[in-house]
Amino acid sequence: MSIKFKYILPLILAAGFVGSCSKSTFDINTDPNNPSTLPAKNLLPGIESTLGSVNAIGNIGDITEVYMHRISVREDPNAYGVTGNSGYVDNMWDPYYAGLLTNANIIISKSTAAGNFKYSGIAKVIKAYAFSQLVDLFGDIPYAEATKLTDGNLNPKFDDDATIYPSLLALLDQAIADLNNTAANPSSPGADDVIYQGKVANWVKAANTLKLKLYTQERRVTNVTAAVTALLASPATLIASTADNFQVPFSKDNQNPGYGDYGAAQRTKYISPWFYETLMGYRPEIFTGITDPRIPYYWFNQLKPGQTATNDGNPTEYRDGPFLSIYFGSNGPNSGFAQQNSQTVLGIYPVGGKYDDKSGSGSTGTNKLNSASASGAAPMRLITYADRLFLEAELIQTGVIAGDARAKLLAAITEAMKQVDAVVTKTGTAGVPVLAGSAGATAYITAIMNYYDANPSKSLQIIMTQKWISSFGSSVDAYTDYRRTGFPIIWDPNSNVMAPGGYAQPPIHGNPLVDPQLPVKVSANRAFPLSLPWPNSELVSNKNAPAQKQPSTYKVFWQP
């Protein structure tokens, strides 16, 4: 990593490196508050906050949510345009290497020496999670030498990604041993542990569930049956309820980075038409005719159902009643127009935005959708109980372990509904209807399970598509899932089936101002990226770095 990241301030860590599409430029070559002299309780909140902020929409999620076709933007991620120079990849690389991993190592070293094993165990779980994400996104990365800046190593070598997973699994075993150590700890985490408030049993569950995730992700290149079977033999030692979710909280004072669009001078994040049409039941590929009850929790329509999109005085590209968006890869004449007061925006579930009660928010010449209209307090979900159940359904469906894949899928979708309610509760928003157990949720789950029963050839596709829907707002694993399984089916503007003749067709009668709605010219000049490019700043400053990769052909080791 670059020499300019020799030191990192706890204050910067606590800020979480919130939202930017350009490289962070903190001047941290000086050391007024050397973190190596601080106790673990001062460093832990910062690395946990960074873990949450880095993963959110507004940071690395600006790439992976777009690549997974759940949001659309006009910037570099559109049409797979992120390069090593664009700054987007720096938004994970820099805060992880420069701050989180360096300070996690300091916590591990100091806490182990002092006998504070709870702190060292927590830091090892966070370290393993962070490194696993770097591998999953980039492939080969600096690992063994990556956090030795204090030893003067400013040019860490890039390790083979296939060799890193075994080390991370061993690190997680060490973390669990530390967390289960019964020795008296001179100092133990409490409120400074913003994720679990010092509840050691929850950290053990997070560590074991992370192991399950890593085993599942490498199942196509490694025989993981014995390891997975051993883990699942003690199910209570894994995330086993909504309350156990491994997630980083946000609040009204420290808002989810993806909430930034609510108070932005110009909103940049749209809901992908592909995601919209999938949840509406419009797509012929899957779930045709089944409308998802999570829609009003997932996005908010600024327009009322019958309202014309005149708030911004601009023509629109994609309209379906109150829903307004733009296409990924659009070359249409209307894709660049601002729709500040008309576009559909991120809702309460992914970012703590508004629940869509169909009242609309925009009005001519006035932006009523501002930062005071919701809380922004949605947590950043890293690994949830729903995720665990989807992992088990996949493992059973693919023959890695024995079991009832249908029962696991049913449990996973049911839990996903509960998860929405849990997020709503975290936001502190009153008056939002309970989803789990509602008539809409019950009817939807029944329809999906009937679809599963009627389409045995689509079993894995159904599992992975439901997981993709559930994880909206937490997109690194969704990007990983697609690359290793091929599901869900995603939008391809170059497909003659999805975009015949290079044109996508919005709902023909979806726009009351332009009826019929005209086709839109679409294309993508770059192929789907099988991994993310390394930051060019790292390649320039690190003499042991490799040459830049070709993202469309460079595979992470677990890809078939």
Side-chain angles (χ1 to χ4, degrees):
M1 70 221 59
S2 168
I3 189 172
K4 69 176 180 163
F5 295 113
K6 185 173 182 179
Y7 303 105
I8 186 72
L9 305 183
L11 179 60
I12 295 172
L13 273 176
F17 291 86
V18 173
S20 172
C21 63
S22 60
K23 184 172 177 168
S24 52
T25 55
F26 297 104
D27 181 8
I28 48 179
N29 286 316
T30 58
D31 185 22
N33 293 297
N34 187 347
S36 65
T37 66
L38 294 173
K41 67 179 181 180
N42 294 96
L43 295 177
L44 183 60
I47 66 173
E48 293 184 355
S49 177
T50 298
L51 198 66
S53 296
V54 164
N55 279 276
I57 297 172
N59 285 306
I60 201 67
D62 280 1
I63 305 175
T64 46
E65 284 288 356
V66 174
Y67 285 7
M68 287 315 299
H69 299 277
R70 297 191 296 205
I71 67 173
S72 298
V73 298
R74 299 185 181 95
E75 293 75 34
D76 286 358
N78 182 45
Y80 306 126
V82 171
T83 70
N85 277 326
S86 65
Y88 283 86
V89 289
D90 299 85
N91 285 340
M92 172 173 274
W93 193 275
D94 289 353
Y96 267 17
Y97 277 117
L100 184 150
L101 291 167
T102 297
N103 282 3
N105 270 4
I106 291 171
I107 293 174
I108 293 167
S109 176
K110 292 172 67 70
S111 298
T112 300
N116 293 324
F117 297 107
K118 294 178 182 178
Y119 275 110
S120 62
I122 291 172
K124 287 174 182 178
V125 176
I126 293 172
K127 178 179 176 179
Y129 184 87
F131 267 124
S132 71
Q133 285 192 303
L134 289 166
V135 170
D136 294 342
L137 290 173
F138 297 99
D140 293 354
I141 57 166
Y143 175 68
E145 299 178 355
T147 52
K148 295 184 177 180
L149 286 173
T150 53
D151 297 335
N153 184 352
L154 304 179
N155 299 283
K157 68 181 180 68
F158 279 55
D159 293 286
D160 182 344
D161 56 353
T163 69
I164 299 175
Y165 259 41
S167 296
L168 298 181
L169 290 163
L171 180 62
L172 287 167
D173 285 338
Q174 295 170 23
I176 293 167
D178 283 354
L179 292 164
N180 287 331
N181 193 320
T182 58
N185 283 232
S187 178
S188 296
D192 52 312
D193 171 15
V194 298
I195 294 178
Y196 285 132
Q197 296 76 51
K199 298 174 183 175
V200 171
N202 286 58
W203 279 105
V204 172
K205 293 178 180 182
N208 279 320
T209 311
L210 177 53
K211 289 176 65 177
L212 180 68
K213 183 172 88 76
L214 298 183
Y215 285 133
T216 305
Q217 289 175 181
E218 65 172 344
R219 67 171 174 80
R220 300 190 69 173
V221 297
T222 305
N223 186 341
V224 298
T225 298
V228 168
T229 301
L231 267 179
L232 296 177
S234 301
T237 63
L238 287 87
I239 292 173
S241 71
T242 314
D244 293 341
N245 285 352
F246 182 40
Q247 59 189 23
V248 180
F250 286 98
S251 67
K252 292 182 179 180
D253 297 321
N254 178 30
Q255 295 169 328
N256 187 303
Y259 184 70
D261 250 20
Y262 273 67
Q266 176 57 57
R267 298 191 177 96
T268 61
K269 297 172 180 62
Y270 292 76
I271 302 298
S272 164
W274 183 260
F275 193 49
Y276 170 78
E277 292 185 357
T278 302
L279 270 64
M280 288 293 291
Y282 291 173
R283 299 305 312 169
E285 295 85 2
I286 197 167
F287 305 153
T288 309
I290 305 174
T291 303
D292 199 305
R294 288 169 285 193
I295 286 172
Y297 303 83
Y298 277 25
W299 56 75
F300 179 80
N301 293 309
Q302 294 193 77
L303 298 175
K304 296 178 182 179
Q307 185 179 7
T308 57
T310 58
N311 296 359
D312 302 285
N314 292 324
T316 64
E317 175 167 284
Y318 186 103
R319 179 81 191 271
D320 189 33
F323 182 86
L324 192 153
S325 190
I326 57 175
Y327 278 109
F328 174 96
S330 173
N331 298 307
N334 299 331
S335 64
F337 287 111
Q339 304 293 345
Q340 180 77 3
N341 304 310
S342 303
Q343 70 191 72
T344 297
V345 297
L346 297 162
I348 191 170
Y349 178 68
V351 302
K354 295 191 73 171
Y355 169 79
D356 189 16
D357 59 4
K358 299 184 180 181
S359 64
S361 252
S363 63
T364 303
T366 302
N367 174 16
K368 291 184 179 179
L369 188 66
N370 54 50
S371 56
S373 63
S375 71
M380 181 62 228
R381 293 163 280 112
L382 303 175
I383 309 177
T384 68
Y385 181 40
D387 293 336
R388 173 200 158 175
L389 294 169
F390 281 120
L391 289 169
E392 291 188 54
E394 176 191 344
L395 289 165
I396 296 168
Q397 188 66 54
T398 55
V400 176
I401 58 173
D404 185 343
R406 187 189 191 280
K408 288 296 180 184
L409 174 62
L410 175 59
I413 302 173
T414 302
E415 172 59 25
M417 301 295 170
K418 295 178 182 178
Q419 186 170 282
V420 172
D421 292 331
V423 169
V424 172
T425 298
K426 292 287 187 182
T427 67
T429 306
V432 177
V434 173
L435 177 63
S438 67
T442 300
Y444 175 80
I445 293 171
T446 298
I448 293 297
M449 298 315 299
N450 288 341
Y451 187 91
Y452 178 87
D453 294 338
N455 294 274
S457 65
K458 291 186 175 182
S459 297
L460 183 60
Q461 180 185 353
I462 293 166
I463 291 168
M464 302 312 297
T465 303
Q466 280 296 320
K467 188 180 180 186
W468 172 71
I469 294 171
S470 171
S471 65
F472 185 35
S474 178
S475 53
V476 173
D477 286 353
Y479 179 49
T480 295
D481 288 342
Y482 175 75
R483 288 175 292 156
R484 64 185 184 79
T485 70
F487 296 120
I489 294 173
I490 59 174
W491 165 245
D492 180 2
N494 295 334
S495 165
N496 200 46
V497 174
M498 298 177 184
Y503 284 86
Q505 178 61 61
I508 292 177
H509 302 299
N511 190 339
L513 290 180
V514 182
D515 190 0
Q517 206 163 190
L518 300 176
V520 178
K521 182 69 174 175
V522 292
S523 66
N525 296 328
R526 291 183 173 89
F528 183 86
L530 300 179
S531 61
L532 299 186
W534 294 300
N536 280 359
S537 58
E538 176 73 14
L539 306 187
V540 170
S541 64
N542 183 348
K543 67 181 182 181
N544 288 324
Q548 184 60 272
K549 67 175 77 167
Q550 174 52 258
S552 63
T553 58
Y554 181 104
K555 293 183 177 182
V556 179
F557 81 96
W558 37 250
Q559 290 179 259

